Amino acid sequence: MTAPARSRKRVALYVAPAVGLILAVFVGVLATRSPAIDTAAATPLLGKPAPAVEGPGLEGGTVRLADYRGKFVLVNFFNSWCVPCRQEHPELQRFSTRHAAAGDAVVLGVIHDDTAEEVRRYRAEHGGDWPVVDDPRGTIALEFGVRGQPETFVISPEGVVLARYISRISADGVDRDLRRYLGSAP
């Protein structure tokens, strides 16, 4: 073995463990950090009338955002295969149940990057009785500027976009924001 070859081998003996240690620390940080919940994000839609949401309902008929005027509406873009959407689902159920008696807020799902059949199958297994719009061409998502899922927009009773969440939501977090909005409303 020549001197340069021995030198390269010696360097590799020191560099490989250092790279392995850096990767282990990186993976450890990613594995232990808290998942994003209730992460609000800017959108040019804030304070403006919400884009129309209208399309075939998962259970038939036509679902329209405008039919829920007078209530807060969580327009939730989701699909059945994304892990954060599955983690968020019980929170949407909690929010929907909590507001059903008062009739002051509803969840309106929009299928994003999935099929109606897969979503029906998911809801049969996991529940959820709020209306869902099938958006197979992604037209509604495009109007809202959706980048991923889950993504949720809070629409005021007057039809104005109040908030955008780019992570999974919690029922308590959304309720906290609704109380804040109601406290600042004229």
Side-chain angles (χ1 to χ4, degrees):
M1 185 179 295
T2 64
R6 274 185 264 161
S7 178
R8 282 192 297 249
K9 186 176 179 179
R10 189 173 300 149
V11 168
L13 286 173
Y14 294 110
V15 171
V19 170
L21 179 63
I22 291 169
L23 286 174
V25 169
F26 181 70
V27 169
V29 167
L30 289 178
T32 58
R33 78 178 200 186
S34 299
I37 299 175
D38 299 328
T39 305
T43 172
L45 297 174
L46 285 179
K48 296 182 179 170
V53 175
E54 182 174 340
L58 193 62
E59 307 305 328
T62 300
V63 176
R64 294 174 194 85
L65 173 62
D67 291 343
Y68 300 97
R69 196 60 54 93
K71 301 178 181 182
F72 288 99
V73 181
L74 301 186
V75 177
N76 175 255
F77 293 87
F78 75 102
N79 63 47
S80 67
W81 50 264
C82 91
V83 173
C85 297
R86 289 174 167 258
Q87 294 169 331
E88 177 185 64
H89 193 77
E91 293 295 321
L92 292 171
Q93 288 178 308
R94 190 170 295 117
F95 182 89
S96 179
T97 300
R98 190 181 285 171
H99 291 276
D104 61 345
V106 297
V107 176
L108 176 63
V110 180
I111 300 172
H112 182 60
D113 200 18
D114 202 350
T115 66
E117 188 54 39
E118 289 298 322
V119 171
R120 273 190 207 96
R121 193 179 349 244
Y122 178 79
R123 285 168 53 106
E125 289 177 25
H126 301 280
D129 60 355
W130 53 87
V132 173
V133 176
D134 190 11
D135 185 26
R137 295 176 28 185
T139 306
I140 299 169
L142 190 61
E143 290 291 320
F144 276 82
V146 172
R147 295 184 179 166
Q149 59 278 330
E151 198 165 312
T152 303
F153 292 80
V154 179
I155 311 301
S156 77
E158 298 79 27
V160 174
V161 176
L162 298 177
R164 173 187 181 208
Y165 299 98
I166 58 169
S167 62
R168 62 187 170 115
I169 61 167
S170 70
D172 291 343
V174 173
D175 279 338
R176 182 188 58 241
D177 289 347
L178 290 182
R179 283 190 300 274
R180 189 177 316 136
Y181 169 75
L182 290 171
S184 65

